[in-house]
C-alpha cells in the first residue's frame, strides 16, 4: 500500500499525500523543452516520451501520485474522432446520433497508453501511486457537441434539457467505452483512476443528478481499483454527489473543504482544494493558505492534498516547492 492508497482507504497516515492536476505540463521547463521536439499528440502516442513527461514532476518535486500523460480526448481519437489541439481540443462538432454511432474503442489503438502505464509503474518509486484517468461522459459530450472548449456549453445544455433517446444513446456509448478504457488502464498498472467531469458543473442540479452522476457511476461501477470523481463547480449538487459511488471526490476551491466533505459524505476520502491562483502569489502566503487548509481537515483521515483544479502554466517553480514543503512539514 502507498500513502495515497492508505489515505483513500481512510487509514491513519504519517502525513497527507499530495499531487496536483496538470502536474505533467506546461509550468515545467523540462516539459516545454520536450514539447519543442514533439507535438502534443505525438508525445502522447510515444510511450517513451509520455512516460518521461509523467515522471518529470515526480523527479522534480516528489509528488505522491504520478498521473499518466495523455488527454481526456485521447480515447475518442481511438474511436475515430479526428481532432487537433490548440492548446485545447478542436474538432468538427458532432450530432448525438453521430456520437452514438461511433465505433467502440479499439484497445489496440490505445495500446500506447497501456505501455506508458507499464513503463511508469516500473520506473516510479514504490511509494508513488500511478494514476490513470478518463473524461466523464458529460464532459466528453460537451466537447463532441461543441467542437472545442467553451464558456457556456449551450449545445450540451440544450441536449441535456431535451433529454431525447439519442442523448441516452450518446451517453451510453461514452459510458461503456470509458469503463473499458479505465479497466484497461488498471490492467496495465494504474493503481487509482480519476474521472474528470470538468464541465458538468455548468448544468442545473436536476440534470447533474439525473444524467452526469448516473453516467459517472456507471463508468466507475465494478472497476478493480479505487476511484476519484472530480467535478468542479458543483457546489450546488454536492449533497447527491455520493451517488456516483467513487472512493473519493475532488472538490474545487469555491467551497471550504470541510463543508464540501460533510455534504458529499462521511465515509469517503476527499481531494483538494487550494485555489490554483494561490500558487501564483508568494511562498509565505502559500504556506499560510496550506496551514489553513490542513487545519480544516485536521484529525480526519482521508484527505488528499491538491489544488481545486489544474495548476496554471505560469506558476513559478519555487511556489510549487513551497506548497509541497508546507504539506510535508505539517505532517
Ligand atoms: O503542451 C500543450 O500545449 C498541451 C496542454 C495540455 C496538457 C499538458 C493539454 C491540452 N492536455 C494536457 C495534459 C492533460 N490533460 C493531462 C495530463 C496529466 C496531468 O494532469 O498532468 C490530463 C489529466 C488532462 C485532462 C484534461 N484535458 C481535462 C480534465 C482536467 C481539467 O483541467 O479539467 C480537460 C478539460 C482537458 C481538455 C484540454 N486538453 C488540453 C487543454 C488545454 C484542455 C482544456 C482547455 C480547453 O478545453 O480548451
Amino acid at each position: 500500500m502507498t500513502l495515497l492508497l492508505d489515505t483513500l482507504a481512510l487509514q491513519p497516515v504519517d502525513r497527507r499525500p499530495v499531487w496536483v492536476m496538470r502536474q505533467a505540463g506546461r509550468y515545467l521547463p523540462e516539459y516545454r523543452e520536450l514539447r519543442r521536439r514533439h507535438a502534443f499528440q505525438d508525445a502522447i502516442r510515444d510511450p517513451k516520451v509520455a512516460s518521461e513527461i509523467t515522471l518529470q514532476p515526480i523527479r522534480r518535486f516528489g509528488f505522491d501520485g504520478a498521473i499518466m500523460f495523455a488527454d481526456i480526448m485521447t480515447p475518442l481519437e481511438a474511436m475515430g474522432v479526428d481532432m487537433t489541439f490548440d492548446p485545447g481540443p478542436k474538432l468538427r462538432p458532432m450530432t448525438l446520433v453521430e456520437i452514438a454511432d461511433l465505433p467502440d474503442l479499439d484497445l489496440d489503438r490505445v495500446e500506447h497508453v497501456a505501455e506508458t502505464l507499464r513503463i511508469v509503474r516500473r520506473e516510479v518509486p514504490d511509494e508513488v501511486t500511478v494514476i490513470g484517468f478518463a473524461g466523464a461522459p458529460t464532459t466528453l459530450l460537451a466537447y463532441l457537441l461543441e467542437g472545442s472548449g467553451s464558456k457556456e456549453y449551450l449545445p450540451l445544455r440544450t441536449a441535456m434539457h431535451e433529454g431525447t433517446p439519442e442523448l441516452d444513446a450518446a451517453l451510453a456509448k461514452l459510458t461503456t467505452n470509458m469503463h473499458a478504457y479505465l479497466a484497461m488502464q488498471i490492467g496495465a498498472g494504474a493503481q487509482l483512476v480519476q474521472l474528470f467531469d470538468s464541465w458538468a458543473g455548468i448544468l442545473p442540479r436536476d440534470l447533474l443528478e439525473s444524467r452526469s452522476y448516473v453516467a459517472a457511476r456507471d463508468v466507475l461501477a465494478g472497476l478493480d481499483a479505487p476511484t476519484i470523481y472530480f467535478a468542479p463547480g458543483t457546489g450546488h449538487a454536492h449533497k447527491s454527489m455520493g451517488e456516483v459511488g467513487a472512493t473519493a471526490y475532488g472538490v474545487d476551491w469555491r467551497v471550504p473543504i470541510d463543508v464540501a466533505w460533510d455534504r458529499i459524505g462521511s465515509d469517503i476520502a476527499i481531494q483538494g482544494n487550494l485555489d490554483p491562483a494561490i500558487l501564483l502569489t508568494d511562498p509565505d502566503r502559500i504556506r499560510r493558505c496550506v496551514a489553513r487548509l490542513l487545519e480544516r481537515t485536521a484529525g480526519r483521515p482521508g484527505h488528499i492534498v491538491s489544488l481545486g483544479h489544474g495548476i496554471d502554466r505560469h506558476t513559478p517553480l519555487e511556489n510549487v516547492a513551497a506548497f509541497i514543503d508546507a504539506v510535508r512539514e505539517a505532517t
Side-chain angles (χ1 to χ4, degrees), residues 19-27 31-32 35 38-40 44 53-54 57 66-74 85-90 131-135 139 143 148-150 153 194-199 230 232 309-311 313:
W19 73 283
V20 298
M21 295 175 272
R22 290 282 162 91
Q23 66 186 26
R26 291 175 287 178
Y27 73 107
Y31 172 83
R32 295 195 300 268
R35 280 277 285 100
H38 306 273
F40 180 66
I44 290 174
I53 294 174
T54 305
I67 185 161
M68 69 171 190
F69 181 71
D71 195 79
I72 56 169
M73 303 302 278
T74 302
F85 283 82
D86 177 29
K90 303 277 177 296
I131 307 172
F133 70 89
T139 291
Y143 280 111
S148 68
S150 127
Y153 290 106
Q194 176 156 315
L195 192 63
F196 285 97
D197 218 346
S198 306
W199 313 128
F230 173 64
H309 207 148
I311 186 167
R313 69 196 181 103

Side-chain angles (χ1 to χ4, degrees), residues 30-81:
E30 54 270 37
Y31 172 83
R32 295 195 300 268
E33 160 62 24
L34 259 185
R35 280 277 285 100
R36 269 199 285 278
R37 285 180 278 132
H38 306 273
F40 180 66
Q41 283 151 300
D42 295 340
I44 290 174
R45 286 184 201 122
D46 183 338
K48 274 213 182 80
V49 178
S51 57
E52 173 59 25
I53 294 174
T54 305
L55 294 166
Q56 283 176 343
I58 309 303
R59 291 200 195 102
R60 188 185 270 273
F61 293 115
F63 287 109
D64 296 302
I67 185 161
M68 69 171 190
F69 181 71
D71 195 79
I72 56 169
M73 303 302 278
T74 302
L76 299 180
E77 294 187 81
M79 292 168 72
V81 181

Side-chain angles (χ1 to χ4, degrees), residues 37-300:
R37 285 180 278 132
H38 306 273
F40 180 66
Q41 283 151 300
D42 295 340
I44 290 174
R45 286 184 201 122
D46 183 338
K48 274 213 182 80
V49 178
S51 57
E52 173 59 25
I53 294 174
T54 305
L55 294 166
Q56 283 176 343
I58 309 303
R59 291 200 195 102
R60 188 185 270 273
F61 293 115
F63 287 109
D64 296 302
I67 185 161
M68 69 171 190
F69 181 71
D71 195 79
I72 56 169
M73 303 302 278
T74 302
L76 299 180
E77 294 187 81
M79 292 168 72
V81 181
D82 288 328
M83 67 188 74
T84 55
F85 283 82
D86 177 29
K90 303 277 177 296
L91 52 135
R92 179 182 65 78
M94 296 174 70
T95 65
L96 290 171
V97 173
E98 285 175 321
I99 296 163
D101 285 347
L102 282 171
D104 283 322
L105 176 66
D106 178 353
L107 288 179
D108 287 342
R109 290 185 67 182
V110 283
E111 171 53 28
H112 60 87
V113 171
E115 184 57 16
T116 297
L117 284 166
R118 280 186 218 109
I119 297 173
V120 170
R121 186 68 190 272
R122 215 166 44 228
E123 305 255 320
V124 289
D126 285 345
E127 63 272 16
V128 175
T129 307
V130 176
I131 307 172
F133 70 89
T138 298
T139 291
L140 297 178
L141 189 65
Y143 280 111
L144 291 170
L145 291 173
E146 184 112 16
S148 68
S150 127
K151 273 208 172 68
E152 299 287 350
Y153 290 106
L154 286 166
L156 172 79
R157 285 154 63 196
T158 309
M160 286 282 190
H161 283 293
E162 285 171 345
T164 58
E166 290 76 19
L167 173 74
D168 291 334
L171 284 171
K173 166 67 62 174
L174 297 168
T175 300
T176 47
N177 282 286
M178 291 312 110
H179 177 88
Y181 181 55
L182 289 176
M184 176 281 281
Q185 293 178 34
I186 294 164
Q191 296 159 286
L192 158 67
V193 292
Q194 176 156 315
L195 192 63
F196 285 97
D197 218 346
S198 306
W199 313 128
I202 199 141
L203 296 174
R205 184 193 294 157
D206 58 338
L207 289 175
L208 257 171
E209 291 173 345
S210 63
R211 300 291 185 183
S212 309
Y213 290 173
V214 171
R217 180 196 68 202
D218 292 346
V219 170
L220 298 180
L223 288 175
D224 200 13
T227 59
I228 300 174
Y229 178 64
F230 173 64
T234 50
H236 56 300
H238 272 166
K239 280 206 169 121
S240 45
M241 194 181 268
E243 286 165 22
V244 171
T247 317
Y249 294 84
V251 296
D252 70 30
W253 62 89
R254 293 173 181 85
V255 182
I257 194 157
D258 48 327
V259 174
W261 202 339
D262 288 339
R263 285 188 194 155
I264 298 171
S266 52
D267 54 347
I268 47 129
I270 208 91
Q271 176 171 285
N273 73 340
L274 206 71
D275 188 339
I278 291 169
L279 291 199
L280 298 174
T281 65
D282 58 89
D284 278 346
R285 186 178 307 276
I286 291 166
R287 279 189 278 272
R288 287 199 302 276
C289 291
V290 168
R292 269 207 298 277
L293 170 65
L294 298 186
E295 265 167 40
R296 286 188 168 276
T297 61
R300 193 167 175 172

